[in-house]
Amino acid sequence: MTPEELSLLIRSCLDNALAQGKLPLTPADLPETVRVERPRSREHGDWSANTALQLAKKAGMNPRDLAEIIAAGLRGHTGVKKAEVAGPGFVNITLDAGAAGELARTIVEAGEKYGNSESGADGHVNLEFVSANPTGPIHIGGARWAAVGDSLARILQAVGAKVTREYYFNDHGAQIDRFAASLLARARGEETPADGYGGEYISDIADAVLAAHPQRDPLREDDDTAREFFREYGVKMMFAEIKRELLDFRVRFDVFFHEDSLHASGAVARAVDRLEAAGFIYEKDGAKWVKTTAFGDDKDRVVVKSDGETAYYAGDIAYYLDKRARGADRAIYLLGADHHGYIGRMYAMARAFGDTAGKGGNIEILIGQLVNLVKDGKPVRMSKRAGTVVTLSDLIDAAGVDAARYSLVRAAMETTLEIDLDLIASHTNENPVYYVQYAHARTKSVDRNAEEHGVTRAQFDPSLLNTPADGELLAVLAKFPETVLQAAQLREPHRVARYLEDLAGAYHTWYARSRVTPRADEKVTALHQSRLWLNDAAGQVLANGLHLLGVSAPDKM
């Protein structure tokens, strides 16, 4: 019996009690979904529900009396060994071994779909992440967003959302001018401009642009012509390099959106006109301001500057409207630690258009913190290639894609992350990604050994999975769908990583205590075959969870 099935059973008990007049409630008072949780102590049963505590006040009943009604409805039901009232009104439920063990069959038969559901209510999500300026390689902060963003996209899809992965290229503005000027200076052998970009990659791109266009000689062209040449072709090459880095990191985008297109298409001007028509713009000091304070912002924002140029905020507004026009029910932005100031102004803008903002709203902004790398006990601060920052490519070279992705996603995004390169490159149980991957590889090793000894899944008796180690492993496996759903709802992919570490621990313990293959003097029994089902169920969930994080599930290590 899965937690979902138990939840439905409790809801059925409530419906029956209501129909029999035992509950002074209406159908609308009952929860759509009854939440069941694993008790901290196994002495309290396999699962526990606090539904009676939630409904007692509305029903005008003592919580324990209401809990007894639920428990009485559960007793004697197939698969329920015991249902007891505990504490102020909890219902503690113990399943019989057969009902608990059936989960192994459910998982194996569901395969890659176990953990998936249609429980999410996000609809069409436009998920924007990374979105680094096209003026250099992706730095380590962007790498964190690549791992977190792609994992969140996978998790949202697993619970039924339609997800558009989007990358926003900031290819309109002064940073592109500085990038072009830096390329030109390097091509001419001149010093990098004071506000320009350094690092070996600038030389690489400048050389590549010249090699691709041998007929051009920036030494013979005037500054404006030469800068425009490097602006056009250098930015394209930087785009291509960024896309290559992301693909190497197993991150694919559905849309690469160019900021410049908003200005070229007139979308920015139309966004300003729309706000003006709605009466949310006023003029002061020769500039146009949006009344964002009317919608929760800490101050009003300039949308058109006194010189007639549109402010960067105008582009943000146009871009949001474009996402919504393309069918996004929800626009989720994953931004770096320096973007806290965006939240108030962007939420205010959405509210001005009649949309909702914040968790579960039409616009959500998630802010991530910095990443610090440590090697040999010392901070790693600079890349040979980029000059001033550590890049995504540096991290992949040092640790590999699997270790890099897992390490970047296993901590809550709002916390500063420190990654020990020596640890994540090690093949020890202290390395979390190795610990989880090794558990999966071990399940495959058991499969190979079972095949050699003639153990198959031809028979399955779930009642034989009755040891404490069996029960603990089954309990952890049962929590996977709920973990995936919570990770989606809370926008917290790290929950999946931490779950996988718990599952790996439960599996390693089970492996040490449970034989799947017979000893030399034994014959294959139903117990061996049933344990193979449980072994394969654990392997399937480990693989499913690692897939959600974009990490491989190796068969051998």
Side-chain angles (χ1 to χ4, degrees):
M1 182 179 293
T2 66
E4 291 76 15
E5 291 169 338
L6 182 57
S7 173
L8 291 173
L9 178 57
I10 295 173
R11 173 59 201 250
S12 176
C13 292
L14 289 169
D15 289 335
N16 290 337
L18 196 65
Q20 295 168 14
K22 296 179 180 179
L23 292 179
L25 296 169
T26 68
D29 294 326
L30 301 183
E32 289 186 16
T33 302
V34 175
R35 183 178 176 84
V36 294
E37 296 182 331
R38 186 76 172 165
R40 292 183 180 180
S41 172
R42 286 300 305 275
E43 295 177 356
H44 297 158
D46 296 315
W47 299 99
S48 180
N50 66 351
T51 315
L53 292 168
Q54 296 173 339
L55 295 175
K57 184 175 182 180
K58 187 174 291 186
M61 295 178 63
N62 182 296
R64 286 184 59 89
D65 293 340
L66 203 159
E68 178 55 38
I69 292 174
I70 297 173
L74 291 171
R75 292 183 191 119
H77 193 282
T78 302
V80 176
K81 181 178 180 180
K82 186 166 55 175
E84 298 178 317
V85 177
F90 292 99
V91 178
N92 290 341
I93 305 152
T94 302
L95 303 178
D96 64 43
E102 271 295 334
L103 179 64
R105 190 196 327 251
T106 298
I107 294 171
V108 171
E109 291 180 347
E112 295 177 356
K113 294 183 179 180
Y114 181 70
N116 291 8
S117 68
E118 296 297 325
S119 304
D122 286 306
H124 181 184
V125 175
N126 181 293
L127 181 61
E128 182 203 333
F129 56 104
V130 185
S131 297
N133 288 339
T135 55
I138 297 174
H139 58 72
I140 190 65
R144 186 178 194 181
W145 282 127
V148 171
D150 184 64
S151 298
L152 180 56
R154 293 167 185 246
I155 290 167
L156 289 170
Q157 288 174 319
V159 298
K162 175 185 176 182
V163 179
T164 296
R165 295 167 169 85
E166 187 148 317
Y167 189 115
Y168 184 60
F169 274 124
N170 300 100
D171 56 353
H172 180 89
Q175 77 273 9
I176 299 298
D177 295 332
R178 295 195 297 271
F179 179 62
S182 301
L183 293 174
L184 176 58
R186 193 63 59 90
R188 288 176 171 176
E190 299 171 352
E191 289 292 325
T192 301
D195 59 351
Y197 299 93
E200 292 180 4
Y201 78 96
I202 292 292
S203 294
D204 294 341
I205 292 176
D207 291 344
V209 170
L210 292 175
H213 302 85
Q215 76 282 9
R216 299 292 294 264
D217 184 355
L219 294 174
R220 297 178 179 274
E221 296 176 345
D222 64 81
D223 290 352
D224 289 342
T225 301
R227 269 196 301 270
E228 187 56 35
F229 166 65
F230 279 106
R231 178 189 179 96
E232 179 179 0
Y233 295 106
V235 169
K236 287 181 180 178
M237 287 190 174
M238 194 70 251
F239 282 169
E241 174 71 4
I242 289 172
K243 291 177 183 178
R244 182 196 63 76
E245 285 184 310
L246 291 167
L247 284 175
D248 288 346
F249 204 47
R250 304 181 193 137
V251 177
R252 295 179 180 273
F253 285 90
D254 303 301
V255 175
F256 287 97
F257 194 96
H258 293 259
E259 178 189 3
D260 200 52
S261 68
L262 293 170
H263 296 268
S265 68
V268 174
R270 290 193 297 273
V272 174
D273 290 343
R274 183 171 166 182
L275 284 172
E276 197 158 20
F280 298 137
I281 286 182
Y282 64 93
E283 293 191 18
K284 185 179 73 172
D285 301 328
K288 291 186 176 181
W289 298 68
V290 185
K291 300 176 184 177
T292 52
T293 52
F295 301 97
D297 197 5
D298 60 342
K299 61 181 179 181
D300 291 342
R301 306 288 174 174
V302 173
V303 72
V304 179
K305 296 182 284 188
S306 57
D307 61 4
E309 292 291 321
T310 52
Y312 192 82
Y313 183 48
D316 290 336
I317 297 170
Y319 184 37
Y320 172 75
L321 290 176
D322 186 88
K323 290 180 178 182
R324 293 284 279 136
R326 283 185 277 135
D329 301 305
R330 215 171 307 286
I332 302 179
Y333 297 70
L334 274 63
L335 303 177
D338 57 340
H339 285 75
H340 272 287
Y342 274 57
I343 298 177
R345 71 186 74 171
M346 293 297 287
Y347 282 6
M349 169 272 299
R351 293 179 183 123
F353 291 120
D355 284 352
T356 55
K359 191 64 65 68
N362 299 113
I363 182 172
E364 297 179 38
I365 295 178
L366 308 178
I367 299 295
Q369 292 301 317
L370 302 176
V371 180
N372 299 317
L373 297 184
V374 175
K375 184 172 178 57
D376 299 325
K378 299 178 182 178
V380 178
R381 302 191 182 281
M382 189 175 297
S383 165
K384 291 181 180 179
R385 183 164 178 265
T388 57
V389 295
V390 178
T391 68
L392 169 58
S393 294
D394 294 326
L395 181 59
I396 293 175
D397 290 344
V401 175
D402 283 340
R405 283 193 63 129
Y406 191 93
S407 300
L408 288 166
V409 82
R410 75 181 293 265
M413 63 184 77
E414 66 271 14
T415 62
T416 299
L417 178 61
E418 182 171 283
I419 296 178
D420 186 328
L421 292 176
D422 297 315
L423 174 63
I424 67 172
S426 68
H427 289 180
T428 68
N429 285 340
E430 284 69 38
N431 177 1
V433 67
Y434 177 84
Y435 186 66
V436 173
Q437 287 182 312
Y438 181 62
H440 180 267
R442 179 170 263 179
T443 69
K444 295 303 181 182
S445 175
V446 169
D447 283 341
R448 292 189 292 271
N449 290 335
E451 184 176 7
E452 290 176 7
H453 288 80
V455 180
T456 69
R457 295 202 306 259
Q459 296 184 58
F460 179 58
D461 184 349
S463 67
L464 297 177
L465 302 176
N466 56 14
T467 69
D470 293 335
E472 184 57 34
L473 181 54
L474 286 163
V476 178
L477 291 171
K479 293 171 65 176
F480 183 60
E482 179 186 8
T483 299
V484 176
L485 181 59
Q486 286 183 340
Q489 292 174 334
L490 299 175
R491 318 309 193 208
E492 294 181 346
H494 73 275
R495 288 176 175 267
V496 173
R498 297 308 176 122
Y499 165 84
L500 289 174
E501 291 164 34
D502 289 343
L503 175 56
Y507 176 76
H508 288 310
T509 298
W510 178 84
Y511 174 87
R513 298 176 181 175
S514 309
R515 288 193 62 86
V516 173
T517 56
R519 300 183 190 277
D521 57 344
E522 291 180 334
K523 293 183 179 180
V524 174
T525 66
L527 175 59
H528 297 122
Q529 293 176 316
S530 299
R531 281 179 174 168
L532 182 60
W533 281 83
L534 182 51
N535 174 81
D536 292 354
Q540 186 66 65
V541 176
L542 286 163
N544 292 359
L546 286 168
H547 172 73
L548 291 178
L549 304 182
V551 177
S552 69
D555 289 353
K556 296 180 180 180
M557 290 183 71

